[in-house]
Amino acid sequence: IGYSLPQSAFSPEKPVVPPSVPSSVTLERGASPTELQVIFNSPSDDGGDAIVEYLVEWATSISFTSPSSTAVTYLAGGSPYIKTISGLTTGISYFVRVSAKNAQGYGAPQLATPNSLNPATRPSAPTNVNLGVTSDS
């Protein structure tokens, strides 16, 4: 019979999707033997909307079956972002990943490089060091 009468949208909308993975996600030992630091940059694609939060997750298994997490919401300083994960057990390896969030939700997570690390402390300086002559040269 034909086309119906046209309708207009109530308001214009831009196409948006969840953001891509954060870039350059790296994992380092922290200042104390119970800390790790994750350093990351903004994703290459924000999905068409501003990033409002990053989710940092850590677990003792690469499957992340029971991860702990924290949100990074202070974004005014720009990337790179640094998050210190505290209260970890020295000597246990932790896997870390980061996801970006916009108005559409969280994008896929990006594993850190290295993907796991154990909190530790640097060894103390050697003690009882003696210098002796072992030859004439």
Side-chain angles (χ1 to χ4, degrees), residues 12-27:
E13 294 290 330
K14 61 183 177 181
V16 287
V17 295
S20 64
V21 298
S23 61
S24 303
V25 180
T26 58
L27 187 59

Side-chain angles (χ1 to χ4, degrees), residues 89-116:
T89 303
T90 303
I92 301 289
S93 289
Y94 292 89
F95 295 87
V96 177
R97 65 186 183 185
V98 180
S99 304
K101 179 183 180 184
N102 65 13
Q104 297 300 304
Y106 287 103
Q110 176 65 50
L111 276 173
T113 301
N115 62 9
S116 72

Side-chain angles (χ1 to χ4, degrees), residues 12-86:
E13 294 290 330
K14 61 183 177 181
V16 287
V17 295
S20 64
V21 298
S23 61
S24 303
V25 180
T26 58
L27 187 59
E28 298 178 355
R29 288 191 171 93
S32 87
T34 60
E35 293 179 343
L36 291 175
Q37 274 192 335
V38 61
I39 303 161
F40 56 95
N41 288 301
S42 302
S44 60
D45 181 6
D46 65 7
D49 207 358
I51 304 294
V52 295
E53 180 178 297
Y54 291 93
L55 181 67
V56 177
E57 297 176 287
W58 62 95
T60 56
S61 166
I62 190 124
S63 64
F64 286 88
T65 51
S66 298
S68 296
S69 65
T70 188
V72 176
T73 56
Y74 178 74
L75 309 178
S79 62
Y81 302 104
I82 300 171
K83 181 63 181 173
T84 300
I85 304 168
S86 305

